[in-house]
Amino acid sequence: MPRINAEVQTPGRRLRSEGKKTAILDAAETLFITEGYERTTVDAVAALAQVSKRTLYNHFSDKEIIFLRVLSRVNETLLSTISAAIDEELTTGRDLREALTAFTHRIVDRAFGSSDYLTFRRLLSQQQSVPRPPGAIRDRPLGMLEQRFTELAADGSIRAPRPRLAAQHFTALTISLAQEALLDHENEKDTEPPDLDAIIADGVDAFLRAYR
Amino acid sequence: MPRINAEVQTPGRRLRSEGKKTAILDAAETLFITEGYERTTVDAVAALAQVSKRTLYNHFSDKEIIFLRVLSRVNETLLSTISAAIDEELTTGRDLREALTAFTHRIVDRAFGSSDYLTFRRLLSQQQSVPRPPGAIRDRPLGMLEQRFTELAADGSIRAPRPRLAAQHFTALTISLAQEALLDHENEKDTEPPDLDAIIADGVDAFLRAYR
DNA sequence: GTAAAAGTGCACTCGTCAGTGTACTTTTGG
DNA sequence: CCAAAAGTACACTGACGAGTGCACTTTTAC
């Protein structure tokens, strides 16, 4: 009798091992974000991942390596989130205001505690003296948006002689402000949660006034 | 013979002591910014301040207390910087574009390594679990700007039915973007330094298009 | 000149945390 | 069933850093 889907019961050595590995990275991500790099102990990561400390060190040589891995993982998902949002929401032919609003929401919304973008900024802003991943990271999302803005400018939807600048201004008016509001809320508890809808709508509005 | 200006030679007990105190805070500020809170050792602060560790602990009970003191000092100078910039640059009667540009420069420019605003954001973003100073800090500068924008709206210089929103958007388009550029430059060395003039001019430009 | 205030040097305690060594158990593949 | 891979429990080392105790020197005030 052939075992077609054996992993359901027994994951297999490889899969099992890989599972622990990502569990460790997940736990580390959580703790790095809530506690910061320095305050996160390796023991705590192991405990949260439900893995022995020794296993952790069998997978990763270093605390620092774990940090870098988390960073690059987050970066990847961030990039694909943005890329998908651009492709699927910022389509030509759609009403511009609607498209921009939907796009921004898609990036900001999941920020109920796990926004990739937010996460990424935080992680980056923490570790100052640790070797950073390759580079030009912060640049990529902007570049992607710039490209789409170039197309929008070409077909006359917006007036943007310098599409990169337009992309920067758009981000500043919408995504950045929304994130700032979320951060402030987190830091200063017992204030009412920010009205993301309003922030985004206002930002899109101002952008359209400036770039149309 | 009366000693009119005795402090020149002998500072006096009080002044001498106060001098050490601020030396300590200065050193701490430098290190907290460059190294982060956790990575900054009390010994390093004492060494940089040219003060014995014991003296440091005679002035401040705690490492944490030092952090809070630094924070509130930075906050105060930040507030007065902004307040002065508003009063002296954002005067009515002046050409609006010129006024806004000068105002922004005044806040951003000294960022050659000691921008108060930047400093403050950084310090705040670091310590997540440490007791924070009173509150509504981030709110104050905005409030001051909002007030002036209300006046500008009243005399027809700008069209801003919601002055606070205008202030937020202005900050996002100018100050925030400039700071972001400075931060990126610092993190990612060997890139050319950002052209703050251009960033600010473009930001003011977009703002005027949206709010005029 | 002198006493007290301010500062110094240094050794020491105590806790924490990264990373290791090892003997042991569990899981998996064939 | 068995051998090897993967994981565990736990004790341990070594470093480092916050904060203290104390005997001592310097500075200031009068």
Side-chain angles (χ1 to χ4, degrees), chain A residues 27-50:
Chain A
E29 183 175 326
T30 302
L31 292 175
F32 284 154
I33 291 168
T34 57
E35 301 295 319
Y37 178 81
E38 309 283 351
R39 302 175 74 95
T40 298
T41 70
V42 173
D43 296 78
V45 173
L48 185 58
Q50 308 212 62

mmCIF file with all atom_site columns, all heavy atoms in Angstrom, chain A residues 27-50:
data_model
loop_
_atom_site.group_PDB
_atom_site.id
_atom_site.type_symbol
_atom_site.label_atom_id
_atom_site.label_alt_id
_atom_site.label_comp_id
_atom_site.label_asym_id
_atom_site.label_entity_id
_atom_site.label_seq_id
_atom_site.pdbx_PDB_ins_code
_atom_site.Cartn_x
_atom_site.Cartn_y
_atom_site.Cartn_z
_atom_site.occupancy
_atom_site.B_iso_or_equiv
_atom_site.pdbx_formal_charge
_atom_site.auth_seq_id
_atom_site.auth_comp_id
_atom_site.auth_asym_id
_atom_site.auth_atom_id
_atom_site.pdbx_PDB_model_num
ATOM 1   N N   . ALA A 1 27 ? 9.118  32.608 16.756 1.00 0.00 ? 27 ALA A N   1
ATOM 2   C CA  . ALA A 1 27 ? 9.220  33.037 18.150 1.00 0.00 ? 27 ALA A CA  1
ATOM 3   C C   . ALA A 1 27 ? 10.166 34.229 18.264 1.00 0.00 ? 27 ALA A C   1
ATOM 4   O O   . ALA A 1 27 ? 9.865  35.224 18.925 1.00 0.00 ? 27 ALA A O   1
ATOM 5   C CB  . ALA A 1 27 ? 9.721  31.876 19.018 1.00 0.00 ? 27 ALA A CB  1
ATOM 6   N N   . ALA A 1 28 ? 11.285 34.122 17.583 1.00 0.00 ? 28 ALA A N   1
ATOM 7   C CA  . ALA A 1 28 ? 12.270 35.204 17.649 1.00 0.00 ? 28 ALA A CA  1
ATOM 8   C C   . ALA A 1 28 ? 11.675 36.502 17.111 1.00 0.00 ? 28 ALA A C   1
ATOM 9   O O   . ALA A 1 28 ? 11.841 37.570 17.711 1.00 0.00 ? 28 ALA A O   1
ATOM 10  C CB  . ALA A 1 28 ? 13.519 34.825 16.857 1.00 0.00 ? 28 ALA A CB  1
ATOM 11  N N   . GLU A 1 29 ? 10.952 36.402 16.022 1.00 0.00 ? 29 GLU A N   1
ATOM 12  C CA  . GLU A 1 29 ? 10.350 37.607 15.448 1.00 0.00 ? 29 GLU A CA  1
ATOM 13  C C   . GLU A 1 29 ? 9.430  38.278 16.460 1.00 0.00 ? 29 GLU A C   1
ATOM 14  O O   . GLU A 1 29 ? 9.524  39.480 16.711 1.00 0.00 ? 29 GLU A O   1
ATOM 15  C CB  . GLU A 1 29 ? 9.574  37.246 14.180 1.00 0.00 ? 29 GLU A CB  1
ATOM 16  C CG  . GLU A 1 29 ? 8.977  38.446 13.478 1.00 0.00 ? 29 GLU A CG  1
ATOM 17  C CD  . GLU A 1 29 ? 8.315  38.062 12.155 1.00 0.00 ? 29 GLU A CD  1
ATOM 18  O OE1 . GLU A 1 29 ? 8.819  37.146 11.483 1.00 0.00 ? 29 GLU A OE1 1
ATOM 19  O OE2 . GLU A 1 29 ? 7.287  38.669 11.806 1.00 0.00 ? 29 GLU A OE2 1
ATOM 20  N N   . THR A 1 30 ? 8.565  37.477 17.041 1.00 0.00 ? 30 THR A N   1
ATOM 21  C CA  . THR A 1 30 ? 7.644  38.007 18.049 1.00 0.00 ? 30 THR A CA  1
ATOM 22  C C   . THR A 1 30 ? 8.393  38.746 19.155 1.00 0.00 ? 30 THR A C   1
ATOM 23  O O   . THR A 1 30 ? 8.078  39.892 19.489 1.00 0.00 ? 30 THR A O   1
ATOM 24  C CB  . THR A 1 30 ? 6.846  36.860 18.689 1.00 0.00 ? 30 THR A CB  1
ATOM 25  O OG1 . THR A 1 30 ? 6.144  36.165 17.668 1.00 0.00 ? 30 THR A OG1 1
ATOM 26  C CG2 . THR A 1 30 ? 5.866  37.406 19.705 1.00 0.00 ? 30 THR A CG2 1
ATOM 27  N N   . LEU A 1 31 ? 9.388  38.078 19.697 1.00 0.00 ? 31 LEU A N   1
ATOM 28  C CA  . LEU A 1 31 ? 10.087 38.661 20.839 1.00 0.00 ? 31 LEU A CA  1
ATOM 29  C C   . LEU A 1 31 ? 10.929 39.864 20.450 1.00 0.00 ? 31 LEU A C   1
ATOM 30  O O   . LEU A 1 31 ? 10.958 40.866 21.175 1.00 0.00 ? 31 LEU A O   1
ATOM 31  C CB  . LEU A 1 31 ? 10.949 37.591 21.509 1.00 0.00 ? 31 LEU A CB  1
ATOM 32  C CG  . LEU A 1 31 ? 10.125 36.494 22.185 1.00 0.00 ? 31 LEU A CG  1
ATOM 33  C CD1 . LEU A 1 31 ? 11.018 35.389 22.722 1.00 0.00 ? 31 LEU A CD1 1
ATOM 34  C CD2 . LEU A 1 31 ? 9.303  37.102 23.307 1.00 0.00 ? 31 LEU A CD2 1
ATOM 35  N N   . PHE A 1 32 ? 11.587 39.784 19.322 1.00 0.00 ? 32 PHE A N   1
ATOM 36  C CA  . PHE A 1 32 ? 12.396 40.926 18.888 1.00 0.00 ? 32 PHE A CA  1
ATOM 37  C C   . PHE A 1 32 ? 11.526 42.166 18.762 1.00 0.00 ? 32 PHE A C   1
ATOM 38  O O   . PHE A 1 32 ? 11.926 43.270 19.128 1.00 0.00 ? 32 PHE A O   1
ATOM 39  C CB  . PHE A 1 32 ? 13.076 40.636 17.555 1.00 0.00 ? 32 PHE A CB  1
ATOM 40  C CG  . PHE A 1 32 ? 14.258 39.719 17.681 1.00 0.00 ? 32 PHE A CG  1
ATOM 41  C CD1 . PHE A 1 32 ? 14.661 38.928 16.612 1.00 0.00 ? 32 PHE A CD1 1
ATOM 42  C CD2 . PHE A 1 32 ? 14.979 39.642 18.859 1.00 0.00 ? 32 PHE A CD2 1
ATOM 43  C CE1 . PHE A 1 32 ? 15.762 38.084 16.724 1.00 0.00 ? 32 PHE A CE1 1
ATOM 44  C CE2 . PHE A 1 32 ? 16.073 38.798 18.996 1.00 0.00 ? 32 PHE A CE2 1
ATOM 45  C CZ  . PHE A 1 32 ? 16.460 38.012 17.906 1.00 0.00 ? 32 PHE A CZ  1
ATOM 46  N N   . ILE A 1 33 ? 10.329 41.963 18.238 1.00 0.00 ? 33 ILE A N   1
ATOM 47  C CA  . ILE A 1 33 ? 9.457  43.118 18.036 1.00 0.00 ? 33 ILE A CA  1
ATOM 48  C C   . ILE A 1 33 ? 8.943  43.665 19.354 1.00 0.00 ? 33 ILE A C   1
ATOM 49  O O   . ILE A 1 33 ? 8.945  44.870 19.584 1.00 0.00 ? 33 ILE A O   1
ATOM 50  C CB  . ILE A 1 33 ? 8.270  42.739 17.142 1.00 0.00 ? 33 ILE A CB  1
ATOM 51  C CG1 . ILE A 1 33 ? 8.755  42.468 15.734 1.00 0.00 ? 33 ILE A CG1 1
ATOM 52  C CG2 . ILE A 1 33 ? 7.234  43.863 17.124 1.00 0.00 ? 33 ILE A CG2 1
ATOM 53  C CD1 . ILE A 1 33 ? 7.726  41.820 14.875 1.00 0.00 ? 33 ILE A CD1 1
ATOM 54  N N   . THR A 1 34 ? 8.504  42.783 20.235 1.00 0.00 ? 34 THR A N   1
ATOM 55  C CA  . THR A 1 34 ? 7.908  43.281 21.472 1.00 0.00 ? 34 THR A CA  1
ATOM 56  C C   . THR A 1 34 ? 8.960  43.716 22.481 1.00 0.00 ? 34 THR A C   1
ATOM 57  O O   . THR A 1 34 ? 8.751  44.674 23.218 1.00 0.00 ? 34 THR A O   1
ATOM 58  C CB  . THR A 1 34 ? 7.017  42.214 22.129 1.00 0.00 ? 34 THR A CB  1
ATOM 59  O OG1 . THR A 1 34 ? 7.795  41.043 22.363 1.00 0.00 ? 34 THR A OG1 1
ATOM 60  C CG2 . THR A 1 34 ? 5.854  41.868 21.223 1.00 0.00 ? 34 THR A CG2 1
ATOM 61  N N   . GLU A 1 35 ? 10.087 43.039 22.512 1.00 0.00 ? 35 GLU A N   1
ATOM 62  C CA  . GLU A 1 35 ? 11.066 43.306 23.564 1.00 0.00 ? 35 GLU A CA  1
ATOM 63  C C   . GLU A 1 35 ? 12.303 44.040 23.079 1.00 0.00 ? 35 GLU A C   1
ATOM 64  O O   . GLU A 1 35 ? 13.020 44.625 23.877 1.00 0.00 ? 35 GLU A O   1
ATOM 65  C CB  . GLU A 1 35 ? 11.517 41.993 24.196 1.00 0.00 ? 35 GLU A CB  1
ATOM 66  C CG  . GLU A 1 35 ? 10.393 41.174 24.814 1.00 0.00 ? 35 GLU A CG  1
ATOM 67  C CD  . GLU A 1 35 ? 9.784  41.907 26.000 1.00 0.00 ? 35 GLU A CD  1
ATOM 68  O OE1 . GLU A 1 35 ? 10.534 42.485 26.778 1.00 0.00 ? 35 GLU A OE1 1
ATOM 69  O OE2 . GLU A 1 35 ? 8.534  41.899 26.108 1.00 0.00 ? 35 GLU A OE2 1
ATOM 70  N N   . GLY A 1 36 ? 12.553 43.961 21.794 1.00 0.00 ? 36 GLY A N   1
ATOM 71  C CA  . GLY A 1 36 ? 13.811 44.495 21.288 1.00 0.00 ? 36 GLY A CA  1
ATOM 72  C C   . GLY A 1 36 ? 14.884 43.413 21.282 1.00 0.00 ? 36 GLY A C   1
ATOM 73  O O   . GLY A 1 36 ? 14.763 42.401 21.971 1.00 0.00 ? 36 GLY A O   1
ATOM 74  N N   . TYR A 1 37 ? 15.915 43.639 20.520 1.00 0.00 ? 37 TYR A N   1
ATOM 75  C CA  . TYR A 1 37 ? 16.943 42.624 20.350 1.00 0.00 ? 37 TYR A CA  1
ATOM 76  C C   . TYR A 1 37 ? 17.656 42.291 21.653 1.00 0.00 ? 37 TYR A C   1
ATOM 77  O O   . TYR A 1 37 ? 17.753 41.138 22.053 1.00 0.00 ? 37 TYR A O   1
ATOM 78  C CB  . TYR A 1 37 ? 17.962 43.088 19.316 1.00 0.00 ? 37 TYR A CB  1
ATOM 79  C CG  . TYR A 1 37 ? 19.102 42.133 19.097 1.00 0.00 ? 37 TYR A CG  1
ATOM 80  C CD1 . TYR A 1 37 ? 18.956 41.034 18.275 1.00 0.00 ? 37 TYR A CD1 1
ATOM 81  C CD2 . TYR A 1 37 ? 20.330 42.333 19.719 1.00 0.00 ? 37 TYR A CD2 1
ATOM 82  C CE1 . TYR A 1 37 ? 19.990 40.145 18.073 1.00 0.00 ? 37 TYR A CE1 1
ATOM 83  C CE2 . TYR A 1 37 ? 21.379 41.448 19.523 1.00 0.00 ? 37 TYR A CE2 1
ATOM 84  C CZ  . TYR A 1 37 ? 21.202 40.364 18.695 1.00 0.00 ? 37 TYR A CZ  1
ATOM 85  O OH  . TYR A 1 37 ? 22.234 39.482 18.510 1.00 0.00 ? 37 TYR A OH  1
ATOM 86  N N   . GLU A 1 38 ? 18.139 43.300 22.318 1.00 0.00 ? 38 GLU A N   1
ATOM 87  C CA  . GLU A 1 38 ? 18.956 43.066 23.502 1.00 0.00 ? 38 GLU A CA  1
ATOM 88  C C   . GLU A 1 38 ? 18.175 42.400 24.624 1.00 0.00 ? 38 GLU A C   1
ATOM 89  O O   . GLU A 1 38 ? 18.681 41.536 25.325 1.00 0.00 ? 38 GLU A O   1
ATOM 90  C CB  . GLU A 1 38 ? 19.549 44.376 24.019 1.00 0.00 ? 38 GLU A CB  1
ATOM 91  C CG  . GLU A 1 38 ? 20.267 45.192 22.965 1.00 0.00 ? 38 GLU A CG  1
ATOM 92  C CD  . GLU A 1 38 ? 21.641 44.626 22.642 1.00 0.00 ? 38 GLU A CD  1
ATOM 93  O OE1 . GLU A 1 38 ? 22.077 43.723 23.365 1.00 0.00 ? 38 GLU A OE1 1
ATOM 94  O OE2 . GLU A 1 38 ? 22.251 45.093 21.661 1.00 0.00 ? 38 GLU A OE2 1
ATOM 95  N N   . ARG A 1 39 ? 16.946 42.816 24.775 1.00 0.00 ? 39 ARG A N   1
ATOM 96  C CA  . ARG A 1 39 ? 16.157 42.294 25.886 1.00 0.00 ? 39 ARG A CA  1
ATOM 97  C C   . ARG A 1 39 ? 15.603 40.909 25.601 1.00 0.00 ? 39 ARG A C   1
ATOM 98  O O   . ARG A 1 39 ? 14.994 40.302 26.478 1.00 0.00 ? 39 ARG A O   1
ATOM 99  C CB  . ARG A 1 39 ? 14.999 43.245 26.201 1.00 0.00 ? 39 ARG A CB  1
ATOM 100 C CG  . ARG A 1 39 ? 15.439 44.653 26.539 1.00 0.00 ? 39 ARG A CG  1
ATOM 101 C CD  . ARG A 1 39 ? 14.247 45.572 26.724 1.00 0.00 ? 39 ARG A CD  1
ATOM 102 N NE  . ARG A 1 39 ? 13.557 45.343 27.959 1.00 0.00 ? 39 ARG A NE  1
ATOM 103 C CZ  . ARG A 1 39 ? 13.782 46.041 29.070 1.00 0.00 ? 39 ARG A CZ  1
ATOM 104 N NH1 . ARG A 1 39 ? 14.675 46.993 29.068 1.00 0.00 ? 39 ARG A NH1 1
ATOM 105 N NH2 . ARG A 1 39 ? 13.123 45.781 30.157 1.00 0.00 ? 39 ARG A NH2 1
ATOM 106 N N   . THR A 1 40 ? 15.739 40.463 24.398 1.00 0.00 ? 40 THR A N   1
ATOM 107 C CA  . THR A 1 40 ? 15.270 39.124 24.064 1.00 0.00 ? 40 THR A CA  1
ATOM 108 C C   . THR A 1 40 ? 16.364 38.112 24.372 1.00 0.00 ? 40 THR A C   1
ATOM 109 O O   . THR A 1 40 ? 17.452 38.185 23.821 1.00 0.00 ? 40 THR A O   1
ATOM 110 C CB  . THR A 1 40 ? 14.911 39.025 22.574 1.00 0.00 ? 40 THR A CB  1
ATOM 111 O OG1 . THR A 1 40 ? 13.847 39.917 22.283 1.00 0.00 ? 40 THR A OG1 1
ATOM 112 C CG2 . THR A 1 40 ? 14.501 37.610 22.217 1.00 0.00 ? 40 THR A CG2 1
ATOM 113 N N   . THR A 1 41 ? 16.071 37.170 25.270 1.00 0.00 ? 41 THR A N   1
ATOM 114 C CA  . THR A 1 41 ? 17.069 36.153 25.583 1.00 0.00 ? 41 THR A CA  1
ATOM 115 C C   . THR A 1 41 ? 16.842 34.930 24.713 1.00 0.00 ? 41 THR A C   1
ATOM 116 O O   . THR A 1 41 ? 15.716 34.624 24.326 1.00 0.00 ? 41 THR A O   1
ATOM 117 C CB  . THR A 1 41 ? 16.996 35.720 27.053 1.00 0.00 ? 41 THR A CB  1
ATOM 118 O OG1 . THR A 1 41 ? 15.805 34.970 27.252 1.00 0.00 ? 41 THR A OG1 1
ATOM 119 C CG2 . THR A 1 41 ? 16.989 36.932 27.971 1.00 0.00 ? 41 THR A CG2 1
ATOM 120 N N   . VAL A 1 42 ? 17.910 34.258 24.433 1.00 0.00 ? 42 VAL A N   1
ATOM 121 C CA  . VAL A 1 42 ? 17.831 33.054 23.618 1.00 0.00 ? 42 VAL A CA  1
ATOM 122 C C   . VAL A 1 42 ? 16.958 32.013 24.304 1.00 0.00 ? 42 VAL A C   1
ATOM 123 O O   . VAL A 1 42 ? 16.192 31.304 23.652 1.00 0.00 ? 42 VAL A O   1
ATOM 124 C CB  . VAL A 1 42 ? 19.236 32.500 23.351 1.00 0.00 ? 42 VAL A CB  1
ATOM 125 C CG1 . VAL A 1 42 ? 19.154 31.170 22.652 1.00 0.00 ? 42 VAL A CG1 1
ATOM 126 C CG2 . VAL A 1 42 ? 20.038 33.489 22.524 1.00 0.00 ? 42 VAL A CG2 1
ATOM 127 N N   . ASP A 1 43 ? 17.050 31.945 25.603 1.00 0.00 ? 43 ASP A N   1
ATOM 128 C CA  . ASP A 1 43 ? 16.222 30.993 26.339 1.00 0.00 ? 43 ASP A CA  1
ATOM 129 C C   . ASP A 1 43 ? 14.743 31.282 26.117 1.00 0.00 ? 43 ASP A C   1
ATOM 130 O O   . ASP A 1 43 ? 13.941 30.353 25.951 1.00 0.00 ? 43 ASP A O   1
ATOM 131 C CB  . ASP A 1 43 ? 16.536 31.067 27.830 1.00 0.00 ? 43 ASP A CB  1
ATOM 132 C CG  . ASP A 1 43 ? 17.958 30.652 28.142 1.00 0.00 ? 43 ASP A CG  1
ATOM 133 O OD1 . ASP A 1 43 ? 18.866 31.461 27.923 1.00 0.00 ? 43 ASP A OD1 1
ATOM 134 O OD2 . ASP A 1 43 ? 18.156 29.499 28.554 1.00 0.00 ? 43 ASP A OD2 1
ATOM 135 N N   . ALA A 1 44 ? 14.405 32.537 26.104 1.00 0.00 ? 44 ALA A N   1
ATOM 136 C CA  . ALA A 1 44 ? 13.001 32.897 25.893 1.00 0.00 ? 44 ALA A CA  1
ATOM 137 C C   . ALA A 1 44 ? 12.542 32.488 24.495 1.00 0.00 ? 44 ALA A C   1
ATOM 138 O O   . ALA A 1 44 ? 11.427 31.980 24.329 1.00 0.00 ? 44 ALA A O   1
ATOM 139 C CB  . ALA A 1 44 ? 12.807 34.395 26.097 1.00 0.00 ? 44 ALA A CB  1
ATOM 140 N N   . VAL A 1 45 ? 13.391 32.678 23.528 1.00 0.00 ? 45 VAL A N   1
ATOM 141 C CA  . VAL A 1 45 ? 13.049 32.274 22.164 1.00 0.00 ? 45 VAL A CA  1
ATOM 142 C C   . VAL A 1 45 ? 12.800 30.774 22.115 1.00 0.00 ? 45 VAL A C   1
ATOM 143 O O   . VAL A 1 45 ? 11.785 30.315 21.593 1.00 0.00 ? 45 VAL A O   1
ATOM 144 C CB  . VAL A 1 45 ? 14.165 32.655 21.172 1.00 0.00 ? 45 VAL A CB  1
ATOM 145 C CG1 . VAL A 1 45 ? 13.878 32.077 19.796 1.00 0.00 ? 45 VAL A CG1 1
ATOM 146 C CG2 . VAL A 1 45 ? 14.310 34.165 21.086 1.00 0.00 ? 45 VAL A CG2 1
ATOM 147 N N   . ALA A 1 46 ? 13.724 30.032 22.701 1.00 0.00 ? 46 ALA A N   1
ATOM 148 C CA  . ALA A 1 46 ? 13.587 28.577 22.700 1.00 0.00 ? 46 ALA A CA  1
ATOM 149 C C   . ALA A 1 46 ? 12.292 28.157 23.383 1.00 0.00 ? 46 ALA A C   1
ATOM 150 O O   . ALA A 1 46 ? 11.547 27.319 22.874 1.00 0.00 ? 46 ALA A O   1
ATOM 151 C CB  . ALA A 1 46 ? 14.783 27.948 23.404 1.00 0.00 ? 46 ALA A CB  1
ATOM 152 N N   . ALA A 1 47 ? 12.019 28.781 24.517 1.00 0.00 ? 47 ALA A N   1
ATOM 153 C CA  . ALA A 1 47 ? 10.813 28.433 25.264 1.00 0.00 ? 47 ALA A CA  1
ATOM 154 C C   . ALA A 1 47 ? 9.568  28.712 24.434 1.00 0.00 ? 47 ALA A C   1
ATOM 155 O O   . ALA A 1 47 ? 8.676  27.860 24.326 1.00 0.00 ? 47 ALA A O   1
ATOM 156 C CB  . ALA A 1 47 ? 10.766 29.217 26.578 1.00 0.00 ? 47 ALA A CB  1
ATOM 157 N N   . LEU A 1 48 ? 9.512  29.884 23.844 1.00 0.00 ? 48 LEU A N   1
ATOM 158 C CA  . LEU A 1 48 ? 8.330  30.252 23.059 1.00 0.00 ? 48 LEU A CA  1
ATOM 159 C C   . LEU A 1 48 ? 8.174  29.347 21.844 1.00 0.00 ? 48 LEU A C   1
ATOM 160 O O   . LEU A 1 48 ? 7.061  29.025 21.429 1.00 0.00 ? 48 LEU A O   1
ATOM 161 C CB  . LEU A 1 48 ? 8.420  31.718 22.614 1.00 0.00 ? 48 LEU A CB  1
ATOM 162 C CG  . LEU A 1 48 ? 7.191  32.263 21.897 1.00 0.00 ? 48 LEU A CG  1
ATOM 163 C CD1 . LEU A 1 48 ? 5.958  32.123 22.771 1.00 0.00 ? 48 LEU A CD1 1
ATOM 164 C CD2 . LEU A 1 48 ? 7.393  33.714 21.501 1.00 0.00 ? 48 LEU A CD2 1
ATOM 165 N N   . ALA A 1 49 ? 9.283  28.918 21.307 1.00 0.00 ? 49 ALA A N   1
ATOM 166 C CA  . ALA A 1 49 ? 9.237  28.048 20.135 1.00 0.00 ? 49 ALA A CA  1
ATOM 167 C C   . ALA A 1 49 ? 8.986  26.595 20.545 1.00 0.00 ? 49 ALA A C   1
ATOM 168 O O   . ALA A 1 49 ? 8.829  25.720 19.695 1.00 0.00 ? 49 ALA A O   1
ATOM 169 C CB  . ALA A 1 49 ? 10.540 28.153 19.355 1.00 0.00 ? 49 ALA A CB  1
ATOM 170 N N   . GLN A 1 50 ? 8.959  26.344 21.836 1.00 0.00 ? 50 GLN A N   1
ATOM 171 C CA  . GLN A 1 50 ? 8.779  24.995 22.381 1.00 0.00 ? 50 GLN A CA  1
ATOM 172 C C   . GLN A 1 50 ? 9.850  24.054 21.851 1.00 0.00 ? 50 GLN A C   1
ATOM 173 O O   . GLN A 1 50 ? 9.549  22.989 21.297 1.00 0.00 ? 50 GLN A O   1
ATOM 174 C CB  . GLN A 1 50 ? 7.384  24.454 22.036 1.00 0.00 ? 50 GLN A CB  1
ATOM 175 C CG  . GLN A 1 50 ? 6.299  25.411 22.415 1.00 0.00 ? 50 GLN A CG  1
ATOM 176 C CD  . GLN A 1 50 ? 5.038  24.677 22.811 1.00 0.00 ? 50 GLN A CD  1
ATOM 177 O OE1 . GLN A 1 50 ? 5.030  23.903 23.784 1.00 0.00 ? 50 GLN A OE1 1
ATOM 178 N NE2 . GLN A 1 50 ? 3.979  24.923 22.076 1.00 0.00 ? 50 GLN A NE2 1
#
